[in-house]
Amino acid sequence: MIVAAVMVFVTHKLKQPMVIGYILAGMVIGPFTPPFSLIHEVGTINTLAELGIIILLFVIGTEFPITKLRSVGRISVIVGIAESLGTLLITFFVGQTLGFSQFDSMFLALAMSVTSTVVTVKVLEELNMINEKSSVLIMGILIVEDVIVITMLGILQSLALTAAVSFVQVILSVGIVVGFIAAILILGSKYLTPLIDKLARKTDYSVLIIVILGLAFGLSFAAIELGLSPVIGAFLAGVLVAESNSAGIARVITIPLRDVFAALFFVSVGALVDVSKIPLFIIPALILIVTSFAAKMVIVIPFLIKAGYDTTTAVRTGLGLSSARGEMSLIVGKGGQDVGAVSSYILPILGVVTIVTTFVTPYILKLGIKLSISSNSSEDKK
């Protein structure tokens, strides 16, 4: 945190996003960067970072009540499915062309098809874009992406272990995901939201923060037990709080926690990067980055324009979904490694992908802001 504070001060003075400062801090003190190597137990830092992901996504969820999500629900599902599967197929064929094995190509393609929710949301917040129309679309599509990647990861792991995938197993996986989301949104809004309001009226904030954090971690734990990403549970917990009359209070009292743990997450990402190996993997990593970026842009923008969205919103949404790869990509790579399906160099390649895309994402999203400014007149007419 000391080194992060110094680096954030420097990036702030240079008017750069804090995320870059955090990653640089991790690279400076990480175990792979002599002569400092102040961090040795990276696993401990990762544990704290996982807590940070939950808190970050919970706080973001409080910005998105159900009515807001419902307004982009249908288009989010359509675009999310189209761009995830389209990017997956295109990246798979590129992986095969580069000489990767079939399973290496499958897991790389899945990893490159999912946008980093944590990185994207953090940068959107720093740029004061979180409540923009394009950001609401991005958040809806990111949820669909997470659902798809968790389901596909289970299928690929089963395929690697048994050399066969049961149709019943696929239907069961999809049913669990849909059932989990529906149960939370329907039952949670009916029973939990009134309880939160009651606590907010009758107790002090110290009790309220423990209750809402208990909700966030409880739903994240439930998601993990069902084989889903904790990100889904944390975000949906925030959505439930957003439905209450206490959403504003909840955001205010959880933002300091979010900032601390989000910093730990990005510092840990930097610490995991073995700087000495970047030259070995930079070429295939860049090819995969460019491929997935182009695939998502080509799919997302026409879909949104055809659905009636203006060009500026469509392009900014495309840029937001095309830029960052991160925590979910690394989870996919680790999942392939756990079942012995991928080569040892797949995870390092995804590490390079994560660091490169996290660095460029703020600049790509800033490009979207400039696009908006330059096209305000045409957007206003629409």
Side-chain angles (χ1 to χ4, degrees):
M1 293 302 293
I2 293 170
V3 179
V6 174
M7 297 303 292
V8 166
F9 176 77
V10 172
T11 53
H12 180 71
K13 284 292 184 181
L14 296 174
K15 297 182 179 179
Q16 301 301 314
M18 288 189 294
V19 170
I20 293 177
Y22 293 145
I23 293 175
L24 287 175
M27 294 174 70
V28 168
I29 63 178
F32 304 110
T33 312
F36 302 105
S37 299
L38 300 179
I39 292 178
H40 301 287
E41 296 293 334
V42 178
T44 303
I45 301 298
N46 279 336
T47 301
L48 295 174
E50 288 173 9
L51 301 180
I53 291 174
I54 291 173
I55 294 173
L56 175 60
L57 266 295
F58 166 74
V59 176
I60 296 305
T62 62
E63 299 275 1
F64 294 90
I66 294 173
T67 51
K68 196 172 186 180
L69 287 177
R70 191 181 292 126
S71 66
V72 296
R74 183 171 174 270
I75 190 63
S76 294
V77 172
I78 295 172
V79 174
I81 292 174
E83 57 93 11
S84 291
L85 298 183
T87 304
L88 192 153
L89 289 173
I90 293 170
T91 312
F92 171 77
F93 287 118
V94 170
Q96 292 278 276
T97 304
L98 291 173
F100 291 111
S101 70
Q102 190 169 20
F103 272 113
D104 284 349
S105 299
M106 285 180 181
F107 279 91
L108 276 174
L110 183 60
M112 297 304 297
S113 71
V114 60
T115 306
S116 171
T117 303
V118 176
V119 175
T120 303
V121 167
K122 183 64 177 174
V123 174
L124 287 173
E125 279 199 323
E126 288 187 20
L127 297 177
N128 295 317
M129 293 173 60
I130 196 64
N131 287 313
E132 296 287 331
K133 187 195 303 184
S134 59
S135 298
V136 177
L137 271 170
I138 289 170
M139 284 304 301
I141 295 169
L142 287 178
I143 293 175
V144 177
E145 279 192 356
D146 283 343
V147 170
I148 291 172
V149 77
I150 291 299
T151 305
M152 290 296 295
L153 179 58
I155 294 171
L156 285 183
Q157 286 179 318
S158 298
L159 183 61
L161 291 171
T162 65
V165 178
S166 167
F167 178 74
V168 175
Q169 185 181 30
V170 174
I171 296 298
L172 182 62
S173 298
V174 174
I176 289 174
V177 171
V178 175
F180 180 69
I181 295 174
I184 290 176
L185 295 182
I186 296 172
L187 298 178
S189 59
K190 185 176 181 180
Y191 297 107
L192 294 178
T193 300
L195 177 62
I196 293 170
D197 284 332
K198 187 175 181 181
L199 286 171
R201 288 194 302 268
K202 296 187 176 181
T203 61
D204 58 31
Y205 292 163
S206 61
V207 176
L208 180 62
I209 191 171
I210 296 300
V211 170
I212 60 178
L213 287 179
L215 176 64
F217 285 109
L219 292 183
S220 297
F221 177 75
I224 292 171
E225 289 296 299
L226 291 171
L228 309 177
S229 168
V231 166
I232 297 175
F235 180 79
L236 291 176
V239 172
L240 290 181
V241 173
E243 286 294 295
S244 71
N245 297 322
S246 315
I249 298 172
R251 281 194 294 272
V252 169
I253 62 180
T254 54
I255 280 175
L257 286 173
R258 176 207 63 185
D259 290 341
V260 170
F261 283 99
L264 284 174
F265 170 76
F266 289 109
V267 170
S268 72
V269 169
L272 287 171
V273 175
D274 190 341
V275 181
S276 65
K277 290 185 178 180
I278 289 180
L280 300 175
F281 303 122
I282 191 67
I283 299 302
L286 288 177
I287 292 173
L288 291 170
I289 290 169
V290 171
T291 300
S292 63
F293 182 91
K296 283 178 177 281
M297 290 289 287
V298 167
I299 295 171
V300 170
I301 294 174
F303 262 94
L304 291 179
I305 292 176
K306 191 173 182 180
Y309 288 89
D310 59 86
T311 304
T312 298
T313 299
V315 173
R316 289 174 67 181
T317 304
L319 291 172
L321 291 169
S322 303
S323 308
R325 304 294 176 271
E327 69 288 345
M328 288 303 295
S329 298
L330 295 173
I331 287 171
V332 170
K334 185 69 166 55
Q337 194 176 73
D338 289 342
V339 296
V342 299
S343 305
S344 59
Y345 50 76
I346 295 302
L347 206 52
I349 287 176
L350 291 175
V352 174
V353 167
T354 298
I355 196 75
V356 171
T357 56
T358 303
F359 267 116
V360 302
T361 293
Y363 304 105
I364 291 175
L365 293 184
K366 280 183 178 179
L367 179 65
I369 295 178
K370 292 179 181 178
L371 173 69
S372 177
I373 291 172
S374 65
S375 55
N376 268 344
S377 58
S378 61
E379 189 174 357
D380 289 341
K381 290 176 183 178
K382 291 179 181 180

